[in-house]
Amino acid sequence: MSPTWRNILLVGAIIFLVGGALSLVNLSEPKTLDVGTFVSHVQAGKVKEIVIEDQKLKVTLTDDSQVVVAKESSESLSSLLKNYGVDPEKARGIKTTVKQATGIGYWAGAVLPTVIPFLLIFGLMFFFFRQVQGQNNRAMSFGQSTARETDKGKKDKITFADVAGDKEAKQELEEVVEFLKSPDKFVKLGAKIPRGVLLMGAPGTGKTLLARAVAGEADVPFFHMSGSEFVEMFVGVGASRVRDLFAKAKKNAPCIVFIDEIDAVGRQRGAGLGGSHDEREQTLNQILVEMDGFEPNLGVIVIAATNRPDVLDPALLRPGRFDRRVMLDLPDINDREAILQIHAKNKPLAKDVSIRQLAERTPGFSGADLGNLMNEGAILAARRNQTDVRMTDLIESIEKVMLGPERRSHLMNEEERKITAFHEGGHALVAHLEPHMDPVQKVSIISRGRAAGYTIRLPMEDKHMRNKEEYTEDLAVMLGGYAAEKIFFGQVTTGASNDMQQATKLAKSMVTQWGMSDVMGPRVYGERADMIFLGREITESRDYSESRAEKIDQEVDALINHGLVAATKFINEHKDAMQRIADHLMKHETIERHEFAKVVGMPPANAKNIISGTSQE
């Protein structure tokens, strides 16, 4: 139902209720008598009291009932009774009171019955004119900015103390806040206020959270808006909103403007399907002019966030517009510990909870993942009717965030459970025996997400670079499940499909992207092209000959075959250990790190956060 019809029904209901109330009032009025009956009551001695009110007589009878008698305004009660021949002695025995009408009562009784209908009519007309005017105003306000100003006095504001990790990013933004608070300190040394700060990083690394912290720290107006809010279906709306936004900002300078997901309007020009007339490109042009154009833009700092800096227009990234580019990386182990401490503040943790161990078990997690981990742990504890959050809840939440919830209702037959046990055991055994691989943290044949089983390996320390030998061992671990199925069952199942996809992708990257092939040499093969308008990578231009393509295929095959040979060798040499792993999984469904070495019968070699899973087709 449209708002107009909803308002019409509301007004109609109000009129109906008012009319009903007035009708009830009228129904409660005393009974009206004619003059003749009233005179007969007086003569019969049935009248107890008379109250004279202008043209009405309010009569109380001896049985305490009340009636109303209408008389002429020019005629008094005594003359009325005399004209009807009532004995004066009987009239004198009745208590008589004269009640004068007040000024307000007189005017209310005389004027309101006439005025109220006109007031209702004019009220309805005014209401509907306001509705029409509001629609016109909204139509004309398309070009106005929808930026919201952050309330300085709100109690639950976020500050830099609430943001863990990202030390360099916080330092850059703290300087911006300090520049706005005490600019003289910088101006004395000839420093100029930066025009813009671009926050770049993977999703969940805290870009928007840092901007909210700036809003909490800055003692200046803070306007925030999403990049998608600039563009509408009408031509020119985006550019108009940009002008309006910066006009507001200049009036409140010094101030900060935050644009979230700026890649929605800041993508490289000339690559879209609209050409130079694309509405998004016109919006970007206006942003470029407002940030650093012909007119000075002093005291307005623009902070923008994006996880796709590679698609932004070069003109947007030049000095004078976004002077600073702040990269937000995934947190290391110390940062993860600090982030977990923040998210654990309002949660009752059991004594067995170790935040450090949780940080060690979550490499590759972003700040958002860690917050989700703590929240899932609290939800799990509540579902179990516990009074605190325990370590087992949080460890289970790690696996839920990484792989998805358990699917115990997804029942496999005995043959499928056996194949899955050997498959996951193959991954785990090869990872346990390879010299540069990470220790096996957990092996399970319980279904999670899309995986029928999974093997988790976690690194002993954070690493940022890896060499060819480590990647070659990774290939062997990925194909460990394939090799185990082939050795123990003589054939492979669809459970190895995801492993083969990952192994092929890794081997191809080693050859074509990272220069890890002695035959192909230190060169990148294949130039990837982004379709900017669609926002995703869909093409790869081949910048090499057919003979090179054949050699690339041969090198990829060689790397994959080398990994398969290594995995097959390990499993053939340790069939007894493989059988023990599979038997334990069939009986208990899960093997934890502390008992895995006992089941295998030999100490581990090393560790990394890679999950090899048995996919389901």
Side-chain angles (χ1 to χ4, degrees):
M1 184 183 294
S2 66
T4 303
W5 281 106
R6 193 182 301 117
N7 292 330
I8 291 173
L9 291 177
L10 178 62
V11 172
I14 293 173
I15 294 174
F16 177 77
L17 291 175
V18 171
L22 292 175
S23 66
L24 289 176
V25 171
N26 292 331
L27 289 174
S28 64
E29 286 286 331
K31 181 180 177 182
T32 303
L33 289 181
D34 60 275
V35 177
T37 306
F38 165 66
V39 171
S40 63
H41 283 334
V42 173
Q43 289 177 339
K46 294 181 180 181
V47 177
K48 182 180 180 181
E49 182 182 0
I50 300 175
V51 178
I52 304 172
E53 289 186 1
D54 194 21
Q55 300 177 19
K56 289 191 301 182
L57 301 176
K58 289 188 176 180
V59 181
T60 304
L61 302 178
T62 54
D63 59 356
D64 291 331
S65 62
Q66 291 186 344
V67 294
V68 175
V69 179
K71 70 177 186 66
E72 297 180 11
S73 59
S74 60
E75 188 177 22
S76 65
L77 175 61
S78 59
S79 62
L80 173 66
L81 295 175
K82 185 178 179 181
N83 291 337
Y84 277 86
V86 177
D87 187 359
E89 291 297 329
K90 291 184 177 181
R92 277 195 289 269
I94 301 172
K95 182 182 177 182
T96 305
T97 307
V98 179
K99 189 174 181 181
Q100 296 289 339
T102 61
I104 297 177
Y106 174 79
W107 283 106
V111 176
L112 287 183
T114 307
V115 173
I116 286 178
F118 288 100
L119 290 177
L120 285 174
I121 293 172
F122 282 115
L124 288 173
M125 292 176 62
F126 177 76
F127 176 78
F128 287 119
F129 277 125
R130 282 286 302 272
Q131 290 291 316
V132 174
Q133 186 179 9
Q135 295 291 341
N136 292 334
N137 289 339
R138 281 191 288 273
M140 297 303 294
S141 65
F142 270 114
Q144 295 180 4
S145 168
T146 58
R148 281 82 62 193
E149 184 176 359
T150 299
D151 185 9
K152 298 180 185 178
K154 66 178 183 178
K155 298 179 181 179
D156 57 343
K157 65 180 181 180
I158 294 176
T159 63
F160 287 128
D162 300 314
V163 182
D166 298 325
K167 301 178 184 65
E168 293 80 8
K170 284 199 292 185
Q171 182 179 356
E172 293 283 343
L173 294 174
E174 283 172 355
E175 288 180 4
V176 171
V177 173
E178 188 178 1
F179 203 117
L180 291 170
K181 286 184 175 179
S182 53
D184 296 340
K185 173 182 175 181
F186 298 88
V187 173
K188 288 180 181 177
L189 299 175
K192 294 182 179 179
I193 189 169
R195 296 288 182 88
V197 179
L198 182 64
L199 304 177
M200 304 179 296
T205 50
K207 300 181 293 295
T208 305
L209 182 66
L210 269 175
R212 293 172 64 188
V214 172
E217 294 281 350
D219 193 22
V220 295
F222 187 96
F223 298 93
H224 57 98
M225 191 172 178
S226 171
S228 61
E229 294 180 58
F230 286 108
V231 180
E232 291 279 358
M233 63 179 290
F234 299 103
V235 176
V237 169
S240 177
R241 288 183 176 177
V242 172
R243 289 191 293 269
D244 186 66
L245 171 62
F246 279 88
K248 288 181 181 177
K250 290 173 184 177
K251 290 179 182 177
N252 293 275
C255 70
I256 296 175
V257 174
F258 174 61
I259 304 175
D260 201 3
E261 304 296 347
I262 194 173
D263 52 279
V265 291
R267 292 176 182 269
Q268 186 172 349
R269 291 169 293 180
L273 299 182
S276 60
H277 297 289
D278 185 12
E279 169 68 7
R280 178 188 53 78
E281 293 187 3
Q282 300 304 319
T283 305
L284 173 58
N285 290 337
Q286 191 63 45
I287 293 176
L288 297 176
V289 172
E290 293 290 347
M291 288 191 69
D292 186 24
F294 192 78
E295 295 183 0
N297 185 22
L298 301 177
V300 178
I301 297 179
V302 181
I303 301 177
T306 180
N307 52 23
R308 291 295 308 273
D310 53 310
V311 303
L312 294 180
D313 193 90
L316 197 63
L317 301 176
R318 73 161 175 82
R321 292 196 173 112
F322 283 107
D323 303 301
R324 299 186 178 190
R325 303 180 202 174
V326 180
M327 188 69 192
L328 279 70
D329 295 317
L330 292 173
D332 58 21
I333 185 169
N334 294 321
D335 291 340
R336 291 197 298 273
E337 184 178 9
I339 293 170
L340 287 169
Q341 291 283 5
I342 289 176
H343 289 294
K345 279 182 180 179
N346 61 341
K347 296 176 178 63
L349 300 182
K351 293 182 179 179
D352 66 334
V353 174
S354 171
I355 298 297
R356 185 68 182 184
Q357 288 183 19
L358 291 175
E360 291 173 353
R361 295 176 74 113
T362 51
F365 275 43
S366 66
D369 292 331
L370 296 171
N372 190 29
L373 156 66
M374 297 301 293
N375 185 59
E376 290 289 347
I379 292 174
L380 191 58
R383 287 172 55 191
R384 293 172 176 172
N385 298 319
Q386 299 171 189
T387 57
D388 53 15
V389 183
R390 300 168 187 172
M391 192 68 177
T392 52
D393 303 325
L394 296 172
I395 290 176
E396 187 172 342
S397 298
I398 293 175
E399 297 170 14
K400 185 175 181 180
V401 172
M402 294 171 71
L403 296 167
E406 283 188 359
R407 294 194 299 156
R408 290 188 176 272
S409 60
H410 179 74
L411 300 178
M412 295 183 288
N413 59 42
E414 198 64 19
E415 182 67 17
E416 289 176 337
R417 291 182 76 248
K418 186 175 182 180
I419 293 173
T420 304
F422 276 97
H423 184 105
E424 297 304 328
H427 289 307
L429 180 62
V430 176
H432 189 78
L433 298 174
E434 286 283 12
H436 297 94
M437 285 294 94
D438 303 330
V440 176
Q441 189 70 35
K442 184 175 182 178
V443 188
S444 177
I445 60 172
I446 298 174
S447 296
R448 275 190 179 274
R450 299 178 61 187
Y454 55 93
T455 301
I456 300 178
R457 296 175 285 129
L458 299 178
M460 301 298 293
E461 58 183 2
D462 292 318
K463 293 186 68 175
H464 302 286
M465 292 187 295
R466 302 183 66 194
N467 55 39
K468 180 181 178 180
E469 188 175 9
E470 292 174 323
Y471 280 128
T472 303
E473 292 180 5
D474 270 341
L475 289 172
V477 174
M478 290 176 183
L479 296 171
Y482 178 95
E485 290 187 24
K486 195 104 179 205
I487 292 171
F488 286 91
F489 299 97
Q491 58 185 354
V492 295
T493 65
T494 56
S497 62
N498 184 64
D499 298 330
M500 292 186 291
Q501 290 175 9
Q502 296 298 323
T504 304
K505 183 178 179 180
L506 175 59
K508 187 175 181 180
S509 296
M510 291 173 65
V511 175
T512 61
Q513 300 297 320
W514 302 331
M516 293 181 178
S517 169
D518 295 332
V519 175
M520 304 309 297
R523 176 185 162 182
V524 174
Y525 293 89
E527 182 178 353
R528 297 183 180 183
D530 286 342
M531 194 70 170
I532 304 298
F533 182 78
L534 296 178
R536 58 186 302 177
E537 182 183 278
I538 60 173
T539 60
E540 180 178 282
S541 62
R542 176 179 286 191
D543 56 355
Y544 48 88
S545 63
E546 287 296 331
S547 61
R548 286 276 180 173
E550 186 176 355
K551 289 183 180 179
I552 289 173
D553 289 340
Q554 292 173 355
E555 282 295 291
V556 170
D557 290 343
L559 288 171
I560 292 175
N561 289 332
H562 182 273
L564 181 59
V565 169
T568 304
K569 179 182 177 184
F570 279 125
I571 294 173
N572 278 324
E573 291 176 353
H574 300 87
K575 282 188 175 181
D576 293 340
M578 186 72 223
Q579 188 67 51
R580 288 194 297 273
I581 294 172
D583 291 342
H584 194 284
L585 286 173
M586 289 287 290
K587 184 177 181 180
H588 302 285
E589 294 187 330
T590 299
I591 306 177
E592 295 287 349
R593 175 179 176 178
H594 63 275
E595 59 183 349
F596 185 77
K598 296 178 182 178
V599 175
V600 176
M602 61 189 76
N606 223 325
K608 204 170 256 133
N609 184 26
I610 299 173
I611 303 172
S612 302
T614 307
S615 63
Q616 300 173 68
E617 299 298 330

